[in-house]
Amino acid sequence: MTPPPFRRILVAVDASPLSQAATDLACRLSKRWQAPVDAVFVEDINIVRLVAHPFVHTISLAAARRQSADDTLIGKALELQAIAARRALDAALATTGGHGTFTVRRGRVEAEVLEAGQGCDLLCLGWSGRPDSRARRSRLGSVARAVSRSAAASVLLLQNPVTGPLFLWWDGFPPALEMAAALAAREGATVQVVVPAHDRIDGTRRGVEAVSALQELGVTAALHAVGRPAALPGTLPADALLLLSAEAEIVLDDLPCSALLVR
Amino acid sequence: MTQTLPQPLAPHQLYRVCDPDSLSFTTTAELADSDAPIGQDRAVEAIRFAIGMRHRGFNLFALGPEGTGRRSLVMQYLTQAAARQPVPDDWVYVHDFGDGHRPRVLRLPAGRAQPFKKDMEWLVEELAAALPAGFEAEEYRAKKQVLEQEFKERQEEAFGTVGTEASEKGVALIRTPVGLALAPTRDGEVLSPDEFKQLPEEEQARFKAEMEALQEKLETTIKQVPYWEREARSKLRELEQEVVAFAISHLMDELKDRYADLPEVLEYLEAVAEDIADNVGDFLESDDEDEDHSKPRRRPGGEGAIRRYRVNVLVNNADQGGAPVIYEDHPTQPNLIGRVEHFAHYGTLITDFNLIKGGSLHRANGGYLVLDAHKLLMNPFAWEDLKRALKAREVRIESPGQSTGLMSTVSIEPQPIPLDVKVVLIGDPMLYYLLSHHDPEFAELFKVSADFDWRMDRDETAVMGLARSVATLTRKEGLRPLDRSGVARVVEHASRQVEDSEKLSTHMASLADLVRESDYWAGRTGAAVVTAAHVQQAIDASTYRQDRVREHVQEEIRRGIVHIDTESAVVGQINGLAVLELGRFSFGRPSRITARVALGKGDVVDIEREVDLGGPLHGKGVLILTSFLAGRFGQNWPLSLEARLVFEQSYGGVDGDSASSTELYALLSALADLPIRQSLAVTGSVDQNGTVQAIGGVNEKIEGFFDLCAARGLTGSQGVLIPATNVAHLMLRHDVVEACRQGRFAVYPVHTVDQGIELLTGTPAGQRDERGEYPAGSVNRRVQARLATFHRRLDLAQSGALSGGRETRGGR
């Protein structure tokens, strides 16, 4: 019997819409593989420190007005965010039937997430804490970027709620293929293979091999696209989940969909 | 001079027969339809005049009693005139894109409003398909993404510059839950206050200065964002308008071709095109769940927003054959001037121009509006708003609350519609006179009156006109035709209705009812035509249905509960005659009037008046008879009597002066101590000279006394004294006429009080001779003597009293 791909899942929450979507997805995976979910809310130490400075001001983005950094107000806002994140977790667990814990930590966000994620084999977090409502895509947030680079475990970066097909970015990293097979087998989904290649013939050959490998693992698979790495993201739908190597040569900001960086 | 006693009237004076042989047809089936009203020449002329006068204020008031055919006549003439007049224009309300609260009115040639409405619906449907397609095209999406990306990059570049500069100076730009903040850092971490204090003072000052400068730059950058955003939106709008312009241009061109002859509509279409370009999102599908930012956003309530391109057809004259003639049966203010309806939306009442409903003034615009004056005045605000519309020559739709300032709810103010209408009010004369007297605007707005007469001369033309009206009615309603005897009886009844043998009633409603009821009785006997017998049966049956109270009154008299003597002779007692009106039925009722005299100061006391049971006209009659007594018998000495007059067993009020001669006879009888024949009853008013004058209800009065006498048995001595001037009004029942023909009852035409008292007492009244004396034994002589006796006694009594008074005052 193939071991489950995830035994413990960490989700970083901050009450933003994407972190709530990440919580939902983490809870679904938790239920599927009986893996507990640890949710962590980090109070940014930098924010905590800056409000202690009497000469530091905040500048309202809505009013472009300077105001003294009121530690009571910011503290209360952080507290409310934690409460909202906890409620979102409770609601997601109640819906999926999974189980998990909720922890509030204080420190540098990426460091705390990484530390909390030790022992976990999947870290879930939102693509960005402040998605741009006007644009189709947001730049990858600084925390997500740092965690995705430094984490020892796989990292799932949620850009949109995942409701669409499963894609595999096949650059020859077997753990990504195996995880795609595991997820697809459990979901009954087809793995769509995209192959980054400067040589289309070679790329196609590698793609066919990947499809065969997936089929050997018992899942249906199809070759979706072969092409230059910069052109491939444009072929992916926004609601898809792309599995790829954490070391893949790709600019994450160009992706239109959520990504699971496999290690 | 000898007084000539009146003789009983001959049967032909009691009833004017309409000889069937004088009619030139066998049945009404032979007669052509009546095309003109009878007996209303004055009213017809007025109606024609009002129709012809198109000037301001020449509206019409048709006044006359109900049932004289006012409405049907007015409608007949208006309909004829309207058919020859042009069909007025259509009117529609549309949205005013400049001022949404003032819907705009458009005038279109008759029959083009409905197609215009359909054209606008077609436009909206086409746009609903064409616009989304335009915005889903790859070209549009690509251009839009470029614009958005430009904005985003500009923003990131600006914030990035500040962030980079901050980073270079060891300052972190941090997003907090309440905004952006700058803080001193070391190795990527914000320094705590303690750590900061441990820095050299120069270093701390440098940080503060750098942060201050960076904050200013940050503020400047944030302030720039809305401008960039607006710039981006503006570019996006230009792009949208390009798409819209392409999508709607060919549709608009098609519409503009169709309405090229209507500049107002073209102007409106231009406004529509501009508005669609401004609000294109209203035509796009709502996609909240799968938010696609590439398309323009739909405004909240988008479906409702599209309503503003609809057309509300207020007046559609497509099927009109000429000018409209509208009769408004329920002239409330909203029914008259229109209204603005509302619907509830999330607990709030909202409205728009689509909910404007026209009133009868709108429908009648360019033609005629007929209203019942009484109903109009009974409805709050209706009369005032009608006048306002006529004066301003425009219809302005306002709710009652708005016009009185009672409501402050935000609503719409539809643009007023120019008004060109002729209004015809139908009402009774009293309303006309009241309005003329109390409402100064009435005379200004209703300059023409059509005065409907309630009667007409009974001549050959009128009789034939009536026959043709009957013929028209029978054909129209599928009734049996009337033979000439039936028509003759209807003619006679028409005279009885107006209580004048020389006139005919113009109350066509009641005559039509008589014909319908006669047809019913003819049908009961299976007759093919209606004869005089059927008409008579209809009259009798109608009387029977209504005369329960009359029967009770007669029964109480016959049983002696109400005492009316019809046999003996009594001093100071006389039978008077009153008329009771119960709805549309009236009948005569005998009343016993008594008079008592005594020594007094010349007062004649009307007991009815004393107890407020006598009306002012009755009081006037009593004062006139007092004056008569003074004029005749008080020339040499003052009247020294006190007389009291009363209607015995009368518990309701009495009014009118028709009993004044009766009361005078009772008074003369009491003064002369001469008994009055109770077999006679009297009616008639009297003047100060003793002349007996005409009264109303003469037929009912005679019949009332006749019924009592007939019930007790006609003796031949019974009869009624009536004013001679009432003879022309006699149209008595056949049984009364027959009794008179057989000498068992009599009707006496009386000119003077002297004639009457002689008939009643059997004693000559007596004429004054050259010495001022009346013949011995005459009524007047006896009255004169009695009054002289009263005077002497009073004189003696007063002398004694004065003498006693002097003694008392002298005290000697």
Side-chain angles (χ1 to χ4, degrees):
Chain A
M1 186 178 163
T2 318
F6 313 119
R7 283 178 292 272
R8 190 165 199 91
I9 301 170
L10 178 92
V11 58
V13 294
D14 62 1
S16 69
L18 281 179
S19 97
Q20 286 188 20
T23 305
D24 290 342
L25 184 58
C27 289
R28 268 164 53 197
L29 297 172
S30 154
K31 169 71 178 169
R32 204 154 293 158
W33 279 283
Q34 301 297 312
V37 172
D38 294 332
V40 60
F41 178 88
V42 182
E43 291 179 352
D44 190 344
I45 189 65
N46 283 339
I47 296 177
V48 175
R49 280 182 182 168
L50 76 85
V51 296
H53 286 283
F55 55 87
V56 168
H57 292 82
T58 58
I59 303 166
S60 164
L61 284 166
R65 196 164 53 84
R66 190 185 301 190
Q67 57 200 3
S68 72
D70 184 341
D71 58 344
T72 312
L73 178 66
I74 292 175
K76 189 71 183 170
L78 290 172
E79 189 182 328
L80 288 173
Q81 284 183 351
I83 291 170
R86 166 137 215 167
R87 284 184 181 156
L89 173 71
D90 290 345
L93 288 173
T95 304
T96 58
H99 60 284
T101 61
F102 183 86
T103 315
V104 177
R105 303 170 73 111
R106 176 175 286 187
R108 293 190 61 180
V109 180
E110 57 271 25
E112 293 300 322
V113 170
L114 289 170
E115 190 180 321
Q118 283 178 5
C120 295
D121 34 30
L122 178 66
L123 275 55
C124 296
L125 62 166
W127 192 267
S128 163
R130 46 191 170 99
D132 188 336
S133 59
R134 284 181 300 274
R136 289 182 69 82
R137 293 197 300 274
S138 298
R139 286 169 61 81
L140 188 64
S142 58
V143 172
R145 194 181 300 279
V147 169
S148 66
R149 279 180 188 156
S150 310
S154 298
V155 177
L156 195 157
L157 300 168
L158 210 75
Q159 186 163 189
N160 297 303
V162 176
T163 55
L166 194 64
F167 285 84
L168 170 66
W169 182 278
W170 180 241
D171 54 2
F173 184 58
L177 185 142
E178 286 159 12
M179 189 170 291
L183 290 177
R186 189 56 67 98
E187 298 282 343
T190 299
V191 179
Q192 306 278 348
V193 178
V194 291
V195 185
H198 295 284
D199 180 346
R200 289 185 68 84
I201 296 172
D202 178 54
T204 305
R205 182 184 55 76
R206 286 190 286 119
V208 170
E209 286 172 2
V211 168
S212 300
L214 285 163
Q215 287 169 342
E216 281 173 20
L217 290 170
V219 294
T220 54
L223 186 59
H224 174 72
V226 177
R228 288 180 291 107
L232 288 177
T235 67
L236 302 173
D239 57 355
L241 176 63
L242 176 70
L243 277 76
L244 70 169
S245 161
E247 306 303 324
E249 290 179 7
I250 184 172
V251 180
L252 290 175
D253 297 287
D254 292 343
L255 284 179
C257 60
S258 305
L260 174 52
L261 308 177
V262 182
R263 287 195 165 87
Chain B
M1 200 170 80
T2 312
Q3 179 78 37
T4 308
L5 273 185
Q7 295 303 306
L9 293 170
H12 72 275
Q13 292 175 293
L14 302 176
Y15 187 86
R16 185 178 169 191
V17 175
C18 176
D19 184 4
D21 293 336
S22 68
L23 302 175
S24 59
F25 56 89
T26 308
T27 73
T28 53
E30 300 163 18
L31 298 176
D33 276 349
S34 173
D35 55 358
I38 49 171
Q40 302 293 6
D41 297 346
R42 182 180 285 105
V44 167
E45 183 54 34
I47 293 169
R48 284 186 174 140
F49 173 72
I51 290 171
M53 288 293 285
R54 296 308 297 180
H55 300 282
R56 194 174 185 170
F58 281 85
N59 296 297
L60 177 70
F61 194 110
L63 65 147
E66 196 184 344
T68 49
R70 296 164 304 177
R71 187 180 144 196
S72 55
L73 187 64
V74 163
M75 292 299 282
Q76 179 188 337
Y77 276 85
L78 293 184
T79 308
Q80 286 170 4
R84 298 189 295 271
Q85 291 169 0
V87 179
D89 291 334
D90 289 349
W91 293 94
V92 301
Y93 269 113
V94 292
H95 184 71
D96 187 321
F97 297 101
D99 183 355
H101 285 288
R102 268 182 71 84
R104 182 178 170 187
V105 73
L106 294 179
R107 183 179 197 150
L108 292 95
R112 292 186 67 183
Q114 203 61 31
F116 180 49
K117 177 186 169 78
K118 288 193 184 312
D119 282 343
M120 288 305 292
E121 286 170 357
W122 166 81
L123 175 70
V124 169
E125 276 175 26
E126 289 293 316
L127 288 174
L131 289 173
F135 285 103
E136 278 161 15
E138 186 58 35
E139 183 185 333
Y140 168 77
R141 294 166 84 101
K143 285 182 178 174
K144 185 173 179 185
Q145 272 181 18
V146 169
L147 288 176
E148 285 173 348
Q149 196 60 32
E150 280 176 3
F151 167 71
K152 194 176 163 190
E153 283 171 5
R154 190 174 191 178
Q155 200 177 344
E156 281 177 357
E157 188 184 334
F159 282 107
T161 305
V162 177
T164 306
E165 188 180 344
S167 179
E168 287 168 358
K169 291 173 179 172
V171 176
L173 176 60
I174 297 170
R175 174 182 283 262
T176 76
V178 294
L180 296 173
L182 293 159
T185 61
R186 187 166 55 201
D187 301 330
E189 279 193 20
V190 174
L191 291 173
S192 69
D194 291 339
E195 289 169 335
F196 187 76
K197 279 178 189 167
Q198 287 168 9
L199 294 174
E201 283 189 6
E202 301 81 43
E203 185 71 358
Q204 289 182 30
R206 184 191 67 79
F207 263 123
K208 286 181 182 174
E210 300 285 12
M211 283 165 60
E212 180 61 31
L214 286 165
Q215 266 177 343
E216 281 177 15
K217 285 183 181 173
L218 195 58
E219 281 173 24
T220 306
T221 304
I222 291 172
K223 283 177 184 168
Q224 288 292 318
V225 173
Y227 294 103
W228 298 337
E229 212 166 4
R230 200 185 316 153
E231 202 177 305
R233 275 204 305 272
S234 173
K235 286 181 182 172
L236 193 59
R237 191 174 130 71
E238 282 173 24
L239 177 63
E240 285 170 8
Q241 286 182 340
E242 277 178 27
V243 176
V244 173
F246 176 73
I248 72 170
S249 58
H250 65 285
L251 299 171
M252 275 295 172
D253 287 347
E254 200 173 325
L255 281 185
K256 284 177 183 172
D257 281 349
R258 281 183 216 170
Y259 297 95
D261 58 328
L262 301 173
E264 271 191 336
V265 176
L266 291 181
E267 191 189 326
Y268 168 71
L269 290 174
E270 290 287 352
V272 168
E274 282 179 27
D275 190 72
I276 289 170
D278 290 343
N279 303 289
V280 65
D282 294 342
F283 287 89
L284 307 179
E285 290 295 321
S286 177
D287 44 17
D288 293 338
E289 288 182 7
D290 181 22
E291 212 156 290
D292 182 352
H293 298 288
S294 69
K295 289 190 286 187
R297 290 290 189 91
R298 184 181 200 146
R299 288 187 300 169
E303 296 89 344
I306 291 179
R307 285 169 61 88
R308 68 187 182 279
Y309 305 118
R310 290 184 188 166
V311 172
N312 180 2
V313 179
L314 207 70
V315 179
N316 177 14
N317 284 319
D319 301 325
Q320 197 69 37
V325 180
I326 305 293
Y327 174 71
E328 176 56 67
D329 184 48
H330 187 39
T332 60
Q333 190 246 23
N335 285 356
L336 211 52
I337 65 159
R339 63 189 183 280
V340 178
E341 294 183 339
H342 293 72
F343 62 86
H345 185 70
Y346 296 117
T348 308
L349 289 178
I350 60 171
T351 187
D352 65 15
F353 72 97
N354 288 293
L355 298 176
I356 301 171
K357 306 291 176 191
S360 41
L361 271 173
H362 295 102
R363 295 199 304 280
N365 200 4
Y368 304 90
L369 176 62
V370 183
L371 299 166
D372 182 290
H374 184 256
K375 288 180 185 173
L376 178 70
L377 293 168
M378 288 293 287
N379 279 294
F381 309 110
W383 172 238
E384 287 304 319
D385 279 6
L386 174 67
K387 285 191 299 182
R388 190 179 299 129
L390 290 175
K391 282 185 83 171
R393 308 190 83 175
E394 63 180 27
V395 201
R396 185 180 293 274
I397 298 177
E398 280 181 337
S399 68
Q402 276 178 302
S403 58
T404 55
L406 291 173
M407 274 174 62
S408 60
T409 309
V410 176
S411 189
I412 52 174
E413 293 175 35
Q415 194 181 345
I417 290 181
L419 182 68
D420 175 22
V421 69
K422 178 86 62 187
V423 175
V424 179
L425 292 183
I426 296 173
D428 61 38
M430 184 55 72
L431 268 184
Y432 177 79
Y433 300 133
L434 282 173
L435 284 170
S436 301
H437 187 70
H438 293 291
D439 190 339
E441 290 172 324
F442 175 71
E444 186 188 333
L445 293 172
F446 289 84
K447 293 179 179 170
V448 188
S449 63
D451 200 347
F452 282 71
D453 204 347
W454 52 281
R455 62 182 193 172
M456 57 187 165
D457 289 340
R458 180 174 163 180
D459 53 22
E460 195 179 338
T461 310
V463 169
M464 279 308 293
L466 187 59
R468 286 179 66 188
S469 295
V470 170
T472 308
L473 175 74
T474 55
R475 264 193 293 277
K476 189 176 164 191
E477 298 192 6
L479 308 175
R480 291 167 185 78
L482 277 70
D483 72 1
R484 63 176 76 177
S485 74
V487 172
R489 186 66 190 92
V490 171
V491 169
E492 290 164 2
H493 186 70
S495 280
R496 168 67 191 245
Q497 272 194 321
V498 292
E499 291 205 327
D500 197 326
S501 62
E502 295 167 3
K503 301 282 182 186
L504 289 174
S505 169
T506 58
H507 197 276
M508 299 313 294
S510 60
L511 291 176
D513 283 344
L514 176 61
V515 173
R516 292 182 189 111
E517 290 173 25
S518 304
D519 173 76
Y520 168 79
W521 291 109
R524 287 275 295 258
T525 59
V529 293
V530 178
T531 66
H534 298 127
V535 178
Q536 186 60 50
Q537 194 173 2
I539 295 168
D540 292 344
S542 173
T543 304
Y544 176 71
R545 291 196 296 272
Q546 300 177 77
D547 77 345
R548 183 185 60 79
V549 176
R550 183 182 68 120
E551 277 290 337
H552 287 191
V553 169
Q554 289 278 337
E555 185 187 357
E556 287 189 344
I557 296 172
R558 286 199 304 274
R559 292 172 65 193
I561 296 167
V562 174
H563 178 57
I564 302 289
D565 187 353
T566 55
E567 290 178 359
S568 62
V570 181
V571 172
Q573 175 175 301
I574 191 166
N575 290 324
L577 295 167
V579 172
L580 288 185
E581 289 190 19
L582 300 172
R584 295 170 63 184
F585 182 68
S586 57
F587 61 92
R589 189 190 68 177
S591 292
R592 183 161 50 97
I593 299 169
T594 59
R596 287 291 177 267
V597 293
L599 195 62
K601 295 179 180 176
D603 295 329
V604 175
V605 177
D606 173 16
I607 291 177
E608 306 296 327
R609 185 76 175 161
E610 292 293 305
V611 295
D612 290 335
L613 283 174
L617 291 178
H618 184 254
K620 179 185 174 189
V622 172
L623 290 174
I624 287 172
L625 70 87
T626 310
S627 177
F628 166 80
L629 284 177
R632 175 168 284 191
F633 302 111
Q635 298 301 314
N636 297 322
W637 54 76
L639 295 178
S640 305
L641 84 162
E642 182 175 300
R644 291 178 184 272
L645 291 165
V646 68
F647 277 65
E648 302 287 358
Q649 292 185 286
S650 167
Y651 307 107
V654 292
D655 200 11
D657 63 351
S658 69
S660 59
S661 71
T662 319
E663 290 166 320
L664 181 55
Y665 295 138
L667 198 51
L668 292 172
S669 161
L671 283 168
D673 199 22
L674 284 169
I676 285 176
R677 288 166 58 192
Q678 301 298 301
S679 57
L680 295 174
V682 178
T683 183
S685 69
V686 67
D687 69 6
Q688 294 191 98
N689 299 317
T691 304
V692 177
Q693 304 166 140
I695 44 78
V698 65
N699 292 295
E700 286 87 349
K701 287 174 177 173
I702 293 170
E703 287 163 0
F705 191 65
F706 171 84
D707 287 340
L708 176 61
C709 296
R712 288 177 173 172
L714 294 173
T715 60
S717 64
Q718 293 147 335
V720 178
L721 277 64
I722 64 166
T725 43
N726 272 122
V727 172
H729 301 145
L730 293 177
M731 284 299 288
L732 289 165
R733 279 196 332 243
H734 288 180
D735 54 344
V736 182
V737 176
E738 194 51 36
C740 291
R741 189 191 311 281
Q742 294 169 6
R744 296 161 64 211
F745 196 76
V747 178
Y748 298 96
V750 173
H751 291 278
T752 64
V753 169
D754 287 339
Q755 286 180 334
I757 195 68
E758 190 167 339
L759 274 169
L760 291 164
T761 59
T763 304
Q767 300 297 306
R768 195 197 293 265
D769 63 17
E770 56 276 9
R771 289 177 298 147
E773 298 293 331
Y774 292 99
S778 67
V779 176
N780 286 331
R781 179 65 175 263
R782 292 172 73 102
V783 171
Q784 193 176 37
R786 184 76 177 275
L787 289 171
T789 305
F790 280 166
H791 174 68
R792 279 196 300 278
R793 285 182 185 169
L794 184 65
D795 206 24
L796 282 171
Q798 285 179 333
S799 301
L802 285 171
S803 171
R806 278 196 297 271
E807 285 172 5
T808 305
R809 280 200 302 274
R812 291 185 291 233

